[in-house]
Amino acid sequence: LLYFVVALGDTHELPSVVGTVYPGHPAADLLRPGDRIVAIDGTPISTFREIVERVGPSAGRTLVFTVERGGAQSEVRITPE
């Protein structure tokens, strides 16, 4: 029982950092590995799960990503497929 309770509390969320950008995909020319997504459409983002939750149901709708790269923030518009 103790191990079960410990396992429930062990939630390691992946950070909102870009790992791989695939050529030919909507973000290919806009994002780079190491970029950190800090917001989507003004909503703060801190985990990869939050990115999936925002982008998944938004196919065909342009989203504004606030991206941190090299200590500076910029906005890019990406339309998920």
Side-chain angles (χ1 to χ4, degrees):
L1 181 61
L2 179 60
Y3 289 112
F4 178 72
V5 172
V6 170
L8 284 178
D10 188 23
T11 56
H12 294 282
E13 293 279 348
L14 294 173
S16 60
V17 176
V18 176
T20 303
V21 181
Y22 295 102
H25 286 243
D29 297 328
L30 302 170
L31 298 177
R32 297 181 188 157
D35 286 353
R36 183 171 168 258
I37 309 299
V38 296
I40 299 175
D41 283 345
T43 301
I45 299 292
S46 61
T47 67
F48 181 76
R49 180 181 50 83
E50 291 172 329
I51 295 172
V52 172
E53 289 172 354
R54 296 282 303 173
V55 173
S58 300
R61 186 172 69 86
T62 300
L63 301 174
V64 178
F65 286 71
T66 305
V67 179
E68 186 177 282
R69 179 185 300 157
Q73 289 188 3
S74 62
E75 290 185 347
V76 295
R77 296 180 183 281
I78 301 172
T79 304
E81 296 178 338

